[in-house]
Amino acid sequence: MGSKMPTAIDSNTKLSSFLSTHPNIRTIITQWVDICGVARSRTTSIQRFIELVNAGGSFNGSVLDILSSSTGGLCDELLVHFADKRHRIVPDVSSIRVGFPLCETSAVVVGEVQGGEIEADARANLRRIVDEGAAEGYAFKIGFELEFVLLEKNELTPAAPGLTGVGSNSPWYRSNVWPLMEEVITALADAGILVEQVIKEMGPSQWEVALPPLPPVESVDAYMYARETIRNVAHKHNVVATFYPTPYVGDGQPSGEHIHVSATKGGDDGTSNTWNPDEMMAGILSHAPALAAIGLPQSDSYIRVGNGKMGAGGMVAWGDNHRDVPVRRIGRNHWEVRVHDSTANAYAMVAGMIAAAMDLKALDIGGLTKFTPFCSEEELKALNMTRKLPHSLEEALKEVEDEREWLEKTLGKDYVKWFLVLKRGELEKLGGMDVEQRRKLLVNHF
């Protein structure tokens, strides 16, 4: 799948080919992601969808399709645009896959919200960023790690407590979790997404599914599909799968959705010295505090931030295979960005990462080789590791203001404006809830 939306003729050809091999399809789910990271959808019959594709059409939409708060509230600033009827939801038929488990007679396509006074669709913007990189000779691959917890229904209680600790897998092959995980792996394979591996994570009832490296837009599409698949399979097994960073009443073991990114230029991975991948990593590091707001956009996200937490890290830092920093270098041109969780719009985060990577800088921060809490202040200064990540959403939104010009160029002026408006509104509303009330609400979304 390329970075451009298919033509009406290409869409028709793709749809006809898909339906010829999947004659049981009765409905089509068109799914997209709003600015607050919530997956939204429209569903129609296959007959109506065929008519729509043949006409090169789209669904009528509104500003609420892209600018809704995760709390469900409306802000006064948004109501000014409420009557704008030009927004439309455009299905990308090239993204079509078989339906999620529980939706076996459906197919799923990814949509984009286009038109209208406000342009804030992050997927469409990611396509633009990918094209800009290609014009400079860069190609990127993106891969996601999905950490999630299985909960009892309607409770913030682990569904399968089991053993804690990474990789303590043996008992789960003999547990009620094994059939669930096996179904996830096979369902994703049936949809063309080959899971790299499944790992028992550190916390009770916490797991990780690693997805393969793919071109950026295709990778985020696969990530969103995988999330829905895992949630649906869990529902079939009478438990709840949540990717929310802090799903328990207490802090528990938080969940992150780390993003792997690799880059080449003109087919070169950096080993021939035609370009320096460290300059790309330095670009990502230079924008990491602002990217934290995009990738960690809920107050609960910041439980993962801090030195020694083995989460997102606490400083602007990197290290080879180091898991207590925001950027873990895995290979010369391969990095893992850890300032991201399920509450983000992943299309926006990946666009920000790629744009930051292309903002080449000299690498003036030394690589961390020790566990961060074991480093003295003098050692950190010697590495030029003095800049902190934001430790709260409020601090992160200030970083957005400080880097507003770069973020507007990267994500678009409308995206940055409305991201700030909606996040400040969420802060006010969610701040009035107790921990259990807030987390039960957001577990439903994420």
Side-chain angles (χ1 to χ4, degrees), residues 324-341:
D324 197 41
V325 291
V327 178
R328 175 167 74 107
R329 189 171 71 175
I330 297 170
R332 180 167 172 78
N333 67 327
H334 177 188
W335 310 277
E336 177 192 62
V337 177
R338 300 172 66 86
V339 286
H340 178 257
D341 67 33

Side-chain angles (χ1 to χ4, degrees), residues 180-194:
L180 186 159
M181 292 300 180
E182 186 178 40
E183 187 172 347
V184 165
I185 294 169
T186 56
L188 290 175
D190 289 344
I193 302 169
L194 302 182

Side-chain angles (χ1 to χ4, degrees), residues 1-3 123 126-127 129-131 138-144 213-223 259-262 346-347 350-351 354:
M1 181 175 62
S3 63
R123 186 178 189 267
L126 175 56
R127 291 191 290 106
I129 293 292
V130 169
D131 285 346
Y138 293 117
F140 295 89
K141 289 288 184 70
I142 301 293
F144 286 85
L214 296 167
V217 176
E218 185 179 345
S219 181
V220 186
D221 289 350
Y223 165 67
I259 305 176
H260 289 251
V261 54
S262 60
Y347 294 102
V350 171
I354 292 174

